Structure formats: structure tokens, C-alpha cells
Amino acid sequence: MSISGEPVSGGPDLAGRVRLMVVRLYRRVQSEHARSALSGVQISALDSLSRFGPLTPRELAVCERVQPPTMTKLIASLECDGLITRETHPKDRRQLILRVTAAGEQALAIAVRTTEEWLGKRLAELPEEDRATVTAAVEVINKLAGG
Amino acid sequence: MSISGEPVSGGPDLAGRVRLMVVRLYRRVQSEHARSALSGVQISALDSLSRFGPLTPRELAVCERVQPPTMTKLIASLECDGLITRETHPKDRRQLILRVTAAGEQALAIAVRTTEEWLGKRLAELPEEDRATVTAAVEVINKLAGG
DNA sequence: TATTGTTATACTCTATAACTATA
DNA sequence: TATAGTTATAGAGTATAACAATA
């Protein structure tokens, strides 16, 4: 904030406008893609597991910012679909090691690539400049949301 | 898509990356702000009603892209908190007219302004350039999600 | 005693289908 | 018969609290 109490830049209430944006886009994405093979949370977890290598449920829960019981259910759904495997940790039998299967990698790739027909179409319809803005913002926001 | 089948710009799979972004940011926002006076959906509906003037439940449901029963519940929660009023339509007694109350406008302003302490802080910590990117992207994405 | 993961339970948000009142 | 809104019901996703197994 500046001395005057106004946000330093980006116009007033950037945080509020980002929140409105994310709520609306999230619902729009969900409603347009309700019947995807993988839900948004499944894709997100699978993506993290693929990106950061084998993880324990605890680690994945921290990564996805959900509580352990939530992760237990998410893991069960992914394992049930054959997208991940659960092995017992070789040195600590309390822990599990989660790995993405080949089917999981494939499902993830397909989901990420084909997700949101409308979103891809909408993005393709944007002027080049707007698309570049969104691309850059995705990087910024992922850093912001991840840290 | 270009002739080669690649996305026209913004690198590969921009839509997929936008989806991952929105899922993660949404959850982050929800988890960081679980105990806000107004939930994300309440803020979004109140904002639409404030922005687009008195609306019927049906109109607001279309605007917010939810089904009528979902809107019924949302309306009940907002009315219960004194943030909106429900009047019967003067010419068609099946319909209602929803209006934001003064308390609703105030709650909305406060929510938007003070929402997401962490988000505002994070945004303030960004380099000026990144913040400008996010600001521009919010406009683009709101157009994209709204249409 | 501390930690990992699970079970039990509940709350929010969403949907579809069936209903009521009005047009 | 058609439309606006509601009620009934269900499913996904999330949480906290209590538990079992292991360290």
C-alpha cells in the first residue's frame, strides 16, 4: 500500500477484482465441463504428482492445500480409476508412496490438452495481445497461489 | 488452432494451464478466507445485482450461471442477512424483484475492499510489471468468462 | 508421545426432478 | 399449456474430531 492507503498500483481493489474473477471463472469452467473424465481437483492433484514426482499423501495434501482426510478421498478416487498407485513406504510403514501410472499420465495429458473446449475456443478468439496478457498472468498467479 | 494443430499462441495448452490456475487459485482463496463474512458466491451474486440493477431470481441465475434452485438458496441466505430484498413483481405475481439493500452495498464494498488479506499482500509484493499483467488479465478473463 | 493415514460426521455449493402458483 | 420460483433429494468437495497403526 502507498502512504495514502490506496493499493500501490493496478487500480483500486485489485485483490477484490481478482477474487471475483476467480470465483466466476471457476464456476464457468465447472459448469462448462461438468462431464469431463477428470474433475478439476483430480486434474490438479494428478498434475502435482506428475510434476513433483512420487509423494506421500501428506506431501500431496500440503501441495494441494487440502486437509489429509480430503486427500484420502481424492487418492481413493484416483486409485480406483487406475490413475495412481499406492505403495507402502519401504522405511516407514505408516506412510504411502503415490505414483502416477502410465494411464494417469495419459489421462492427465488428454485432460489438460482437451479440457475446456469453450475455454480454448474463447482464448483462440482473443486478440493476440490479450492472449499474451493471459499467458503472462497465468505464470504470475501460479507463483502467487503456490507460494 | 493453427493449421498445424497447435494453439495459435501463448504456448501450448493455454486453456489447460488457465484451468489449473483457476482451480488452484480458487482453492487457495477459499482456504485463506474461509471465515469471511460473505462467501465467494455471495459476493459474486451481490456484485452482479449491484452492478446490473434490480433483477429477478431467474435473471440473476442466468447472470451467475447457476440453476434456479441454487439461486433460491443463495437468495435466501442473502435476504436472511439483510443484504437484499425480495419484492413481488407488480405485473406478474410469479416473479420476484431482487434489490441490494444499503447494508448489502456496504457489505459488498467492505468484502471487495478487504477481501483476501493475503491476496492483497501478495499482489502488493509483486513487481510493478507483474501487477500490471494481472490487472490487464482480470479484464480479459472477466470478458471471457462473462460472455 | 508424536506422526501418518483413515473413518465418522457435517457443512457448503451445486445439480436434476417434481411440485405450486400464476399467466 | 407454459413459466417463475420452490421443495425434495443427491452428489461432489471440503472441513474438524476421533481413531488405528506405526515410529
Side-chain angles (χ1 to χ4, degrees):
Chain A
M1 294 294 222
S2 67
I3 293 168
S4 68
E6 287 294 309
V8 277
S9 86
D13 306 328
L14 179 55
R17 284 183 289 127
V18 169
R19 181 180 185 169
L20 282 173
M21 176 203 79
V22 76
V23 168
R24 284 175 180 153
L25 184 57
Y26 179 84
R27 256 186 320 185
R28 184 66 194 262
V29 165
Q30 296 290 86
S31 76
E32 293 283 344
H33 209 67
R35 309 219 177 292
S36 168
L38 294 177
S39 71
V41 288
Q42 286 179 315
I43 292 173
S44 181
L46 210 49
D47 180 71
S48 291
L49 199 53
S50 170
R51 199 183 297 274
F52 302 119
L55 297 174
T56 68
R58 175 82 39 173
E59 288 166 341
L60 189 53
V62 169
C63 182
E64 292 293 301
R65 294 175 196 284
V66 296
Q67 294 302 309
T70 300
M71 189 47 65
T72 294
K73 287 191 183 180
L74 187 48
I75 288 166
S77 77
L78 291 171
E79 192 193 20
C80 182
D81 291 345
L83 306 179
I84 63 171
T85 57
R86 298 196 312 181
E87 308 158 30
T88 55
H89 192 291
K91 300 205 175 159
D92 182 345
R93 291 192 307 172
R94 291 174 304 181
Q95 295 186 55
L96 298 173
I97 297 178
L98 308 174
R99 288 176 207 278
V100 180
T101 63
E105 293 287 3
Q106 190 177 358
L108 176 61
I110 291 171
V112 170
R113 202 175 298 134
T114 68
T115 288
E116 310 322 334
E117 256 192 42
W118 79 265
L119 183 56
K121 205 177 294 172
R122 286 306 183 89
L123 287 166
E125 286 165 6
L126 290 176
E128 173 66 36
E129 189 187 330
D130 285 355
R131 204 159 40 237
T133 296
V134 172
T135 302
V138 168
E139 298 307 312
V140 173
I141 290 175
N142 274 337
K143 267 188 292 181
L144 188 141
Chain B
M1 294 297 220
S2 67
I3 294 169
S4 69
E6 286 294 309
V8 279
S9 86
D13 307 327
L14 179 55
R17 283 182 290 127
V18 170
R19 181 180 186 170
L20 281 173
M21 176 202 78
V22 77
V23 167
R24 286 176 179 151
L25 184 57
Y26 180 83
R27 257 186 319 185
R28 185 65 195 263
V29 165
Q30 297 289 89
S31 74
E32 293 284 344
H33 209 67
R35 310 223 176 289
S36 168
L38 294 176
S39 71
V41 289
Q42 285 180 317
I43 293 173
S44 180
L46 209 50
D47 180 72
S48 290
L49 198 54
S50 171
R51 198 183 296 276
F52 303 119
L55 298 173
T56 68
R58 175 85 37 176
E59 289 166 339
L60 188 54
V62 169
C63 183
E64 291 292 302
R65 296 179 195 284
V66 296
Q67 294 301 310
T70 300
M71 189 47 66
T72 294
K73 288 191 182 180
L74 187 47
I75 288 166
S77 77
L78 291 171
E79 192 193 22
C80 182
D81 291 344
L83 305 179
I84 64 172
T85 57
R86 298 195 313 179
E87 308 158 27
T88 56
H89 192 291
K91 303 206 172 158
D92 182 346
R93 291 192 305 170
R94 294 173 304 181
Q95 296 185 54
L96 298 173
I97 296 179
L98 309 174
R99 289 177 206 277
V100 180
T101 63
E105 293 287 2
Q106 191 178 356
L108 176 61
I110 291 171
V112 170
R113 203 175 298 133
T114 66
T115 286
E116 311 322 333
E117 257 194 40
W118 79 266
L119 183 56
K121 205 177 295 173
R122 287 305 183 91
L123 287 165
E125 288 166 5
L126 289 175
E128 174 65 35
E129 187 187 333
D130 285 354
R131 204 159 41 238
T133 296
V134 172
T135 302
V138 168
E139 297 309 311
V140 173
I141 291 176
N142 275 336
K143 268 190 291 180
L144 187 142

